[in-house]
């Protein structure tokens, strides 16, 4: 077991000596968890293969699923990517720093382990002063997947990171709760037209305003697991965001969803099961269950996204057998929310009519 150092940092004006302590750990090949605007990341020197390997081990992450490489300046991209298209430059100008990850053809300076043997690399510039200061002080690009154990919901505060990784990593920089709550949008700009591989903090609507042509990978809205040959992003084939309890996602109109969940919850509770419900402000009073938590208003999908991973962890911590989750609209941030809920449910999806 490692001794994990917990350092509270000011999220807007991070204390330089704390950042330097963490940066030294990165430079020596160690592992530092840090806040970004989306979720917490677990960072290692992206150009140090041993450090990146240790990162995979700490997270118990399959070696075929590469992390995102984080930079503090868009100019860093040209040192890592082989080709930067006009569309990519447009996206970086419009959305960086921010929750958008671009997949480029890579240069050979990027170690194989960092990209899981692929000839592409995923890069983003986060919009968080702690993340940016850490990258700058470390003097290297930082490979950082979300700072959770593989398969668990992504961490949106330092407590989540501690629960999953205490004793397995060197430092946790605690900068409070993250603003966006779901990960960055991943878009492949090595293909024409660019293709969204994972919906996230940058909405598809916002991308369409900037790009004349952009496609959505079928997996983004998939309601069942895709056949292997359709998989474009390694992360698509692994188990994700799953609490211990079985999640059942119920989709349909608000009224139909509420009725269906109410009936199902009752029938499972009669059978002696402990039931949790992820509801919304508009519906939560209609339910009787062991645990009922609201993700926020159905009309405020940014809040639903911000709370999603925390509430998945909280309802699971109550030791429930089943979690019923309400489907929401797929507009705006709803696309990322629905993608995470479908994956968290292992595609146990019911249609309510
Ligand atoms: O918001 C975020 O993106 C967070 C914070 C920490 O920045 N990071 C994050 O990393 O979510 P991770 O490793 O949990 O997810 C990275 C995703 C995975 O789905 C992975 O398969 C995909 O990006 N990815 C990485 N490199 C890729 C590549 N070369 N081609 C296609 N997909 C790639
Ligand atoms: Mg992740």
């Amino acid at each position: 077991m490692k001794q994990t150092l917990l350092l509270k940092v000011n999220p807007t004006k991070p204390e330089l000596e704390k950042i330097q302590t963490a940066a030294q750990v990165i430079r020596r090949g160690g592992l530092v968890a840090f806040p970004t605007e989306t979720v917490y990341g677990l960072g290692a020197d992206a150009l140090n293969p041993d450090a990146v390997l240790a990162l995979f081990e700490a997270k118990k992450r399959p070696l075929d699923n590469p992390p995102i490489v984080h930079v503090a300046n868009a100019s860093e991209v040209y040192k890592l990517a082989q080709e930067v298209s006009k569309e990519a430059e447009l996206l970086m100008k419009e959305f960086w720093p921010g929750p958008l990850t671009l997949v480029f053809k890579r240069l050979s300076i990027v170690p194989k382990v960092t990209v899981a043997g692929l000839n592409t690399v995923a890069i983003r510039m986060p919009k968080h002063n702690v993340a940016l200061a850490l990258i700058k002080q470390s003097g290297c690009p930082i490979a950082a997947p979300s700072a959770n154990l593989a398969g668990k919901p992504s961490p949106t505060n330092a407590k989540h990171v501690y629960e999953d990784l205490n004793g397995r990593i060197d430092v946790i920089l605690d900068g409070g709760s993250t603003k966006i709550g779901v990960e960055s949008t991943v878009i492949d700009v090595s293909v024409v037209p660019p293709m969204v591989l994972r919906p996230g903090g940058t909405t598809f609507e916002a991308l369409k305003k900037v790009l004349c042509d952009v496609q959505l990978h079928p997996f983004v809205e998939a309601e069942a697991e895709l056949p292997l040959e359709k998989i474009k992003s390694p992360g698509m084939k692994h188990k994700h965001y799953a609490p211990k309890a079985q999640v059942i996602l119920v989709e349909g109109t608000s009224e139909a969803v509420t009725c269906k969940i109410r009936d199902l919850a009752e029938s499972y509770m009669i059978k002696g099961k402990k039931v949790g419900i992820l509801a919304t402000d508009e519906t939560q009073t209609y339910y009787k269950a062991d645990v009922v938590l609201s993700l926020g208003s159905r009309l405020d999908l940014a809040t639903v996204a911000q709370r999603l991973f925390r509430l998945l962890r909280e309802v699971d911590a109550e030791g429930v057998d089943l979690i019923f989750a309400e489907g929401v609209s797929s507009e705006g941030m709803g696309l990322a929310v629905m993608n995470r809920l479908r994956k968290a449910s292992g595609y146990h999806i019911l249609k309510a009519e």
Side-chain angles (χ1 to χ4, degrees), residues 59 61 145-146 148 154 183 198 240-241:
K59 267 191 65 115
R61 180 169 173 121
S146 48
N148 51 284
S154 298
E183 303 88 340
R198 177 179 77 178
H240 266 302
Y241 316 117

Side-chain angles (χ1 to χ4, degrees), residues 4 19 23 80 82 100 145 150 182 198 214 248 254 267 309 343:
T4 302
I19 297 296
L80 306 167
Q82 213 179 83
L100 185 68
V182 292
R198 177 179 77 178
V214 50
I248 296 169
S254 173
S267 70
F309 288 141
K343 286 201 214 174

